[in-house]
Amino acid sequence: MIRVKNISKKFENGGAEVWAVNNVSFGLESGIFCAIIGKSGSGKSTLLAMLGALDKPSQGTIDVDGKDVTLMSEAKLIDYRRNRIGFVFQNYNLVPNLSALENVMLPLEFAGINKNDRKSRAKKLLLQVGISEDKHNRKPLHLSGGEQQRVSIARALANSPKFILADEPTGNLDSNTGRTIVDLLKRLAKSENTTIIAVTHDQTIADQAEVVLQMKDGKLSMK
Amino acid sequence: MSTISRGMRNAFRNGLRTLSITVILAMSIAMALIMLMAMKTVEMKIESVKSSVGNTITVTPAGVRGFEGGGELLGSDDLATIQKTDNVSEVTAIVSERLNSDDTNLESPIEPGSFGERQNNRGYNGGGVPPESSSGDRKFTMPVTVTGIDNLENLSALNMSKLEITAGEKFLSGSEDKIALVGKDLAQKNNLNVGSIFSAFNQEIKVLGLFDAGNTFANAQLIMPILCVQEISGQKNMYNSFIVQVDSVENLDKVGDSISSALEDKADVVSSAQSTESIIKPLENIKSISVYSLIGSVVAGSVIILLTMVMIVRERRREIGVLKAIGSSNYGIVSQFISEALCLTLISSVAGIILGALLSNPVLKVLVNNASADGASGVPGATPGRGMMRMVNAIPGIQNTFRDISAVLDWSIVLYGLVVALLIAIIGSMLPAYFIAKVRPAEVMRSE
């Protein structure tokens, strides 16, 4: 489970201090599908970056299964990102000159899994997210937006993370494909017992979430 | 797929850019290799010049060069002074004379030609006493040169590249007999054989042997025991020059200085170090140009790969953020970029080595032409005088120093080239590696 306590993130902007996230606290149990909604600039992506240890909060604590992420060394943070977190991005962020299969194999390589094992695991994950075998060796540019997002989800699942952090996962997709992706995330939350935190301003995602948090001017409120 | 192979694949991500970088870098590596080859070739040449010149000092009477100039010849006390000088291992004394038609019944095989006639008219050929021709016209003949020496093994003292006895035998050191070795052309012209008698300074001289020195001038000469020449020419205890052998090249300057100060203004002292210096100065210039160009090429290559990698890292900030977000360490990402830089550098190296091998000789020729032109025009002491030229020409192959210079490509140079390329890749990857480490994983969250 994750417990966020009084975290804030401050930026300097032309000499003035801007609090992108201001004294936010919440907690989530494992296997929950949570949506954080809010307008652009409300601080939801900054909050997600801190939850995923991509950025450090200016103050506050993030407790994951009894360990404070904000106090971790750089080496521990790499380990945390590699094994506990899976990221899904709005624009997929697949490595363009690697095939779908190779993209999914990347986090497994970083985790030190041997080549044969990571290949079979990546194939299994791609099939699980609905990418047929004939597309496994295609480069991202030769896949549709929905397919690229599925590959991105498969990559996020590679090291069986405790959390999947999704930043606007349907932002670049049409509504039908977006709905399929949300269904997929929901299904995975249950089957893999993974907590999914999706940042979105898409109300249809929020409608399917078990927990909805709203960000406004850096402050969080339960909806 | 490993970090290394991912880096290698990335090197070909943008075909046009890869081609452009490879071409520019290959030119830089080719330049570095050419300069490396030029440097090594010139170094070898300098060594060969030094070893062929040897560790000798020529001592001649002040104001006298061969048969030119004026002043007093050196004497036995001067010889003794030189022999007593520290680090002198051997002294070869020489007395030279010119026999004109009044002094000998021999006729030189060398035709005067326009050069000899001109020299004679200007009084350069031993006074030019011409015999009277049958028609009453005075016809000039070249004088016969006699070298009086004891040590027939000292070819540089004899100003010869070889001394091959074709008939008879050599005379012994210390001989006072009236005997001579006759150059093959002189012998042929005067129908001389071993045992023949000819006259010199009104003395009968017996032919002990015939020799071939491999060049027209030397083959028209006589070589006689020094004591004999001194006696018949009336120059007892007088010497035209001393060739001083020094125990090591390092002591050349010291011994030269000692002899100069001991003989004061009686003698001109020319050490082979000075001759070598003037010969190798243009080579040293080429070497300096090569070293600076080598450094320049390595720096240029490093800057090319550095800017390329900085550009690539800036372009792929988001991708670096993704790799960090999904669990890669800085070390892993830096390794990937270094292997990309190495891949680009290695491809460029192969092209550069081929280019370097093809262009090394033309570039070296340009360098040699420029450097030797500089050496001949204006560098003080670079243009050898007549006396020095005599010594220079006496050294086999020296006159071809510049003509036969050509770049040498061997495996050690290729290896050096690859090491240089590796150096370029590593230097060129250092700053990008720093930039990679500074990229925050949160870059990935940027919307663009």
Side-chain angles (χ1 to χ4, degrees):
Chain A
M1 72 179 292
I2 186 166
R3 295 249 171 269
V4 176
K5 202 171 171 189
N6 303 328
I7 62 164
S8 300
K9 182 70 185 177
K10 179 177 69 178
F11 292 106
E12 298 282 332
N13 189 1
E17 287 183 355
V18 177
W19 292 89
V21 175
N22 194 355
N23 204 26
V24 166
S25 301
F26 67 93
L28 288 173
E29 296 299 326
S30 297
I32 295 286
F33 180 28
C34 166
I36 302 176
I37 58 169
K39 290 181 180 170
S40 287
S42 60
K44 54 190 189 304
S45 290
T46 308
L47 175 63
L48 199 72
M50 289 189 288
L51 296 179
L54 300 181
D55 214 348
K56 287 204 172 222
S58 305
Q59 57 193 51
T61 58
I62 301 167
D63 192 298
V64 176
D65 295 338
K67 285 183 183 152
D68 187 354
V69 177
T70 60
L71 297 177
M72 285 180 180
S73 65
E74 189 52 41
K76 292 266 184 205
L77 284 176
I78 291 171
D79 190 61
Y80 171 76
R81 287 195 290 263
R82 182 191 298 149
N83 298 315
R84 311 296 290 270
I85 304 287
F87 285 100
V88 176
F89 304 100
Q90 180 179 353
N91 44 10
Y92 331 124
N93 281 335
L94 298 173
V95 180
N97 68 327
L98 300 184
S99 67
L101 189 69
E102 287 165 340
N103 265 287
V104 180
M105 285 164 74
L106 263 184
L108 295 161
E109 181 194 320
F110 299 149
I113 311 288
N114 74 53
K115 193 176 177 183
N116 287 338
D117 289 350
R118 59 183 190 245
K119 195 166 185 178
S120 59
R121 167 97 176 130
K123 276 186 174 179
K124 197 175 143 195
L125 285 166
L126 282 171
L127 291 172
Q128 195 179 343
V129 297
I131 300 292
S132 57
E133 201 153 355
D134 58 312
K135 293 177 180 170
H136 286 192
N137 289 319
R138 286 194 191 174
K139 301 271 169 66
L141 268 179
H142 298 111
L143 296 170
S144 69
E147 285 168 334
Q148 286 188 59
Q149 196 59 298
R150 284 167 191 269
V151 174
S152 158
I153 292 167
R155 183 180 66 183
L157 288 167
N159 286 326
S160 309
K162 293 283 285 178
F163 304 94
I164 287 182
L165 305 179
D167 184 23
E168 303 281 7
T170 57
N172 281 359
L173 303 173
D174 61 73
S175 54
N176 278 341
T177 314
R179 209 164 19 251
T180 318
I181 291 296
V182 172
D183 286 345
L184 176 63
L185 285 171
K186 264 184 79 177
R187 186 157 45 83
L188 289 169
K190 295 297 162 207
S191 65
E192 305 285 320
N193 194 30
T194 303
T195 304
I196 296 181
I197 304 174
V199 158
T200 183
H201 50 248
D202 183 347
Q203 192 53 48
T204 53
I205 294 184
D207 291 345
Q208 297 188 58
E210 293 159 270
V211 177
V212 179
L213 304 171
Q214 186 161 27
M215 285 286 285
K216 191 178 178 187
D217 299 331
K219 300 260 186 194
L220 189 74
S221 59
M222 198 72 94
K223 204 175 175 191
Chain B
M1 180 177 292
S2 70
T3 304
I4 308 286
S5 57
R6 210 164 39 247
M8 286 167 70
R9 258 171 79 167
N10 280 346
F12 300 98
R13 232 159 117 162
N14 184 331
L16 189 63
R17 182 165 65 195
T18 304
L19 183 69
S20 319
I21 294 164
T22 306
V23 168
I24 299 169
L25 202 55
M27 284 165 71
S28 158
I29 290 169
M31 187 67 176
L33 197 69
I34 289 168
M35 290 306 140
L36 206 60
M37 274 193 269
M39 206 171 78
K40 192 153 182 187
T41 307
V42 167
E43 268 173 3
M44 281 163 59
K45 206 73 197 173
I46 289 171
E47 282 311 307
S48 111
V49 168
K50 278 183 176 168
S51 63
S52 55
V53 170
N55 45 344
T56 58
I57 292 172
T58 305
V59 183
T60 52
V64 177
R65 285 287 183 281
F67 299 104
E68 295 165 27
E72 299 302 324
L73 293 185
L74 297 166
S76 300
D77 49 341
D78 301 319
L79 175 59
T81 304
I82 295 170
Q83 281 169 332
K84 278 188 277 182
T85 307
D86 287 345
N87 304 109
V88 168
S89 51
E90 188 185 28
V91 182
T92 303
I94 295 164
V95 173
S96 301
E97 257 304 343
R98 276 176 155 179
L99 304 173
N100 58 35
S101 50
D102 289 342
D103 304 319
T104 183
N105 62 344
L106 295 178
E107 200 178 324
S108 172
I110 300 172
E111 290 301 321
S114 61
F115 179 76
E117 291 288 357
R118 184 170 180 275
Q119 299 294 90
N120 181 55
N121 293 337
R122 296 169 71 90
Y124 295 161
N125 271 333
V129 182
E132 200 164 322
S133 71
S134 54
S135 60
D137 297 331
R138 289 172 73 81
K139 186 178 173 250
F140 166 69
T141 57
M142 294 298 291
V144 176
T145 304
V146 184
T147 302
I149 194 168
D150 249 1
N151 181 3
L152 291 173
E153 306 307 318
N154 193 336
L155 294 179
S156 76
L158 282 164
N159 198 11
M160 291 173 181
S161 54
K162 67 168 188 173
L163 179 66
E164 185 188 338
I165 302 296
T166 54
E169 58 184 334
K170 290 179 178 178
F171 54 78
L172 298 173
S173 174
S175 172
E176 294 180 43
D177 297 340
K178 293 185 175 59
I179 48 176
L181 297 177
V182 183
K184 72 176 179 101
D185 295 346
L186 182 64
Q188 194 179 9
K189 176 84 178 176
N190 295 280
N191 295 319
L192 297 176
N193 283 309
V194 175
S196 300
I197 303 289
F198 65 91
S199 78
F201 297 113
N202 300 318
Q203 301 279 329
E204 286 195 339
I205 311 292
K206 186 180 170 188
V207 177
L208 186 66
L210 306 180
F211 68 85
D212 179 9
N215 70 73
T216 308
F217 188 83
N219 284 344
Q221 285 187 23
L222 294 169
I223 303 172
M224 293 167 68
I226 190 164
L227 291 169
C228 171
V229 176
Q230 284 174 323
E231 189 186 326
I232 64 172
S233 65
Q235 299 184 99
K236 267 202 161 176
N237 297 324
M238 286 193 271
Y239 302 93
N240 285 73
S241 62
F242 299 123
I243 306 298
V244 182
Q245 198 79 30
V246 179
D247 58 1
S248 80
V249 176
E250 284 70 35
N251 292 324
L252 268 178
D253 286 339
K254 194 177 83 179
V255 173
D257 290 345
S258 300
I259 294 173
S260 286
S261 59
L263 300 183
E264 295 175 334
D265 54 359
K266 284 164 69 182
D268 290 334
V269 179
V270 179
S271 102
S272 58
Q274 291 161 317
S275 320
T276 312
E277 193 62 31
S278 64
I279 297 162
I280 66 174
K281 194 171 175 67
L283 292 173
E284 295 281 10
N285 289 343
I286 300 173
K287 196 179 158 189
S288 303
I289 294 169
S290 311
V291 171
Y292 290 129
S293 305
L294 174 64
I295 294 168
S297 313
V298 172
V299 170
S302 304
V303 169
I304 292 165
I305 201 81
L306 174 91
L307 293 178
T308 304
M309 294 315 292
V310 167
M311 187 173 72
I312 289 173
V313 168
R314 283 180 66 87
E315 231 178 58
R316 298 199 205 139
R317 281 181 78 86
R318 176 186 281 272
E319 190 177 313
I320 293 167
V322 172
L323 293 175
K324 288 188 178 186
I326 63 175
S328 178
S329 62
N330 277 334
Y331 173 78
I333 302 171
V334 168
S335 305
Q336 181 188 309
F337 276 82
I338 287 180
S339 78
E340 186 171 345
L342 272 176
C343 186
L344 285 171
T345 313
L346 281 176
I347 296 165
S348 307
S349 301
V350 173
I353 287 167
I354 294 168
L355 205 64
L358 292 174
L359 294 178
S360 56
N361 268 319
V363 173
L364 190 58
K365 290 276 180 238
V366 171
L367 283 174
V368 165
N369 288 341
N370 287 340
S372 50
D374 287 349
S377 66
V379 179
T383 312
R386 270 198 217 177
M388 194 180 285
M389 267 329 281
R390 180 177 172 275
M391 176 182 278
V392 167
N393 288 332
I395 301 155
I398 285 296
Q399 51 273 58
N400 295 326
T401 298
F402 298 112
R403 210 183 311 147
D404 64 2
I405 200 164
S406 63
V408 183
L409 178 67
D410 62 24
W411 285 111
S412 67
I413 291 180
V414 173
L415 203 67
Y416 276 134
L418 286 174
V419 170
V420 167
L422 196 70
L423 208 70
I424 287 174
I426 291 170
I427 295 170
S429 304
M430 276 179 182
L431 195 60
Y434 172 75
F435 286 144
I436 289 166
K438 295 290 278 182
V439 173
R440 291 160 53 242
E443 281 300 322
V444 75
M445 303 297 280
R446 282 175 186 268
S447 52
E448 263 321 315

